[in-house]
Amino acid sequence: MTVRAGLGGLLADAVLGLPLRATPYTVQRDLAVPMPDGVDLLGDRYAPRRAAGPLPVVLVRLPYGRAGLVGRLFAAPLARRGFQLFVQSTRGTFGSGGHFRPFTTERDDGLATVSWLRTQPWCDGRVAMTGASYFGHTQWAVAPYADPPLVCVSPHVTAARVTTAFYDHGAPLLRNALTWSAQIGRQEAGGPLATVPGPRRRARIARALRRLPLQAADTAAVGAPVPFWRDFVTHAGPGDRFWDVADHDGADLAGMPPVSMVTGWWDLFAAGQLADVARLHAAGVPARVTVGPWLHAAPAEVATVLRTDAAWLHHHLRGGPAPAGPPVRLFLQQAGTWLAADTWPPPGSRPVAHHLRAGGRLTADAETGDPAPAVFTYDPADPTPTVGGPLLQPPGGQADNRAVERRADVLVFTGPPLPADLDVVGPVRAVVHVRTELPHADVFVRLCDVDARGVSRNVVDGIRRLDPRTVPAGDVTVGDDGVLAVDVELFPTAYRVRAGHRLRVQVAGGAFPRFARNPGTGEPLGTARTGRPCRFEVSCDAAHPSRLVLPVLSPDLSGPATG
């Protein structure tokens, strides 16, 4: 089938900021690729109509279908730029054989597909990969292991350790997992809009998030069991090796090709993706990243992905000009400007501690006395709620936190008005000295920006699940007095706190339904039915300096990017 760029395609390219000159292309549907176990996976080949001979192939592997929205958004724009693509449905989805067990078969299936492509007469032996989210994960499952190496990859809005989207330092990301389970559980049953979360679907998911036990929450949300959800609740405990096959952050990077990535500060994968950037640079792999002010799969994020891909592929597959400017581009939120750096974290940021003090104060100076601990009780029957944050689907991002901060189960520590703008750029962490009544508990920490009207908006946050099977550990130590020093890794950011605003730190025992409630009993995630309230004592005395540590960028490095 020959496809020419009609008015719709040209309008889409204009909206995306792509060149309006389009190449006619052909599409071959449902090409079968044999896997070593005898299963066939189906793919569609996009090729320039007047190709002079074999061409490199841009491989896209995804579970969301090859036609419809995915084809229009990801495949067609690159095909109109004259690239040859092979868009493949992963195992068990949209006509491909086998069963879809997300994240568990992508390495073997992906490597087999690359080998098959290299034997086709229309492939010149060079293979690149691109895509975002799950089809960014399918690149990490292949790129470190392909031999010969791939030409280049673009694993956008994803992370080599993909399970960070579902488990954060031991705490299950309940809402992300159930939302995605509902999406993939219906995607082939209800037509092209089956995955669009309407009001009724959102209401069903909201009810399912609150049900106990969680084992069958997928049935409550979707109407049928979803294999991924069952894997998620079954393999959530510490030391479970089930997900080892899904994570590739331990892969040898010796054969890793050049990497281009796009993500957003409110994307659920941003922390893992920036860790990937640091690891790639340390291994000497050419890697570029753009981090914008975006939520996961926001239109502006998708448009940036496609513009970046067109230039990246043109450079590596056709010898076009290399991307200009330093490899790390960061949007400085609340400043409306971009920063450029050679590395992540950027040079010029220095750690500055802000100490939690008695009376709800947040100060540069540590406590010198011995005030009583701040106390609250977390009750899983009335779990501490959360608003905003990096989520898979809206509503995420920044939100008004005042209602949460008025609760008795949330400690709040607020600093004085800032005398000048404060640019926070890099990884953020907190150290909380805490004694918990129960050995099973969560420590949730959130940094907020409080404006002159008193509106408190979240900037970054993090959580650490305490479990006697994993405490003590590298990030949790036990003092002689039994008080735990919990090192909480918050999300990274690039954010300007304006002069006159105040910093605020929340400390709580949970953040529901973003994270699963901790029942306090040690019962497995899927089968827990009851819970126990847990008393927290947060120490802020001279011997236990609980604190937030911010990466503060030197003012002379906070100007606009120069490339």
Side-chain angles (χ1 to χ4, degrees), residues 7 87 119 154 176 180 186-187 197 202 211 255 283 286 315 408 424 431 463 523 543:
L7 180 60
V87 182
T119 67
S154 304
N176 283 348
W180 195 64
R186 290 182 52 86
Q187 64 177 357
R202 291 194 187 98
R211 67 169 289 135
H315 169 58
V424 180
V431 179
I463 196 168
E523 294 176 86

Side-chain angles (χ1 to χ4, degrees), residues 19-369:
L20 298 185
R21 293 181 58 187
T23 300
Y25 59 91
T26 62
V27 183
Q28 291 178 273
R29 303 287 187 190
D30 298 335
L31 298 181
V33 182
M35 297 292 106
D37 63 354
V39 166
D40 285 344
L41 306 187
L42 299 186
D44 297 343
R45 176 193 170 215
Y46 294 69
R49 186 163 61 90
R50 293 192 176 91
L55 296 172
V57 175
V58 180
L59 173 61
V60 178
R61 304 190 64 251
L62 74 166
Y64 304 126
R66 287 161 281 138
L69 184 62
V70 168
R72 289 194 296 271
L73 271 183
F74 289 95
L78 291 176
R80 288 195 291 271
R81 309 281 80 75
F83 294 106
Q84 178 173 236
L85 293 93
F86 191 75
V87 182
Q88 183 184 61
S89 291
T90 55
R91 180 177 292 252
T93 68
F94 292 89
S96 287
H99 299 285
F100 184 38
R101 296 291 294 277
F103 310 110
T104 61
T105 64
E106 306 307 351
R107 175 177 173 172
D108 291 344
D109 289 352
L111 290 172
T113 300
V114 170
S115 296
W116 179 85
L117 287 171
R118 286 173 167 155
T119 67
Q120 302 309 300
W122 34 266
C123 175
D124 68 2
R126 294 179 294 160
V127 179
M129 293 185 74
T130 191
S133 197
Y134 195 99
F135 37 126
H137 162 71
T138 58
Q139 296 173 68
W140 271 111
V142 171
Y145 316 106
D147 186 17
L150 303 177
V151 177
C152 63
V153 291
S154 304
H156 305 295
V157 293
T158 192
R161 189 173 185 82
V162 72
T163 54
T164 58
F166 303 110
Y167 308 101
D168 187 351
H169 294 83
L173 284 139
L174 182 68
R175 180 170 178 166
N176 283 348
L178 189 58
T179 298
W180 195 64
S181 296
Q183 175 185 335
I184 61 174
R186 290 182 52 86
Q187 64 177 357
E188 296 191 54
L193 298 179
T195 61
V196 178
R200 292 181 63 185
R201 171 96 56 84
R202 291 194 187 98
R204 290 188 66 175
I205 292 173
R207 290 193 297 269
L209 286 168
R210 291 191 166 274
R211 67 169 289 135
L212 290 174
L214 286 169
Q215 183 74 48
D218 52 349
T219 302
V222 183
V226 179
F228 168 74
W229 176 258
R230 301 303 168 104
D231 290 340
F232 166 74
V233 297
T234 302
H235 300 287
D240 195 310
R241 305 299 299 272
F242 177 83
W243 295 111
D244 286 2
V245 69
D247 289 327
H248 302 282
D249 54 322
D252 185 351
L253 297 177
M256 191 73 180
V259 181
S260 172
M261 292 178 281
V262 170
T263 190
W265 291 123
W266 300 101
D267 194 293
L268 69 162
F269 289 109
Q273 193 151 12
L274 286 168
D276 292 341
V277 172
R279 193 165 56 92
L280 289 164
H281 285 172
V285 178
R288 302 182 65 85
V289 66
T290 296
V291 190
W294 308 308
L295 294 150
H296 185 74
E301 186 176 66
V302 173
T304 304
V305 162
L306 291 168
R307 288 195 301 270
T308 303
D309 273 357
W312 186 247
L313 294 170
H314 182 58
H315 169 58
H316 285 283
L317 299 183
R318 297 171 175 166
V328 178
R329 295 185 70 244
L330 312 170
F331 186 79
L332 183 59
Q333 300 173 91
Q334 305 304 318
T337 189
W338 289 86
L339 307 176
D342 291 325
T343 61
W344 172 265
S349 285
R350 60 187 178 89
V352 177
H354 296 262
H355 292 86
L356 282 57
R357 301 286 297 274
R361 293 177 297 145
L362 186 69
T363 69
D365 298 326
E367 180 64 63
T368 58

Side-chain angles (χ1 to χ4, degrees), residues 386-398:
T386 189
V387 293
L391 299 175
L392 181 64
Q393 292 183 1
Q398 284 193 290

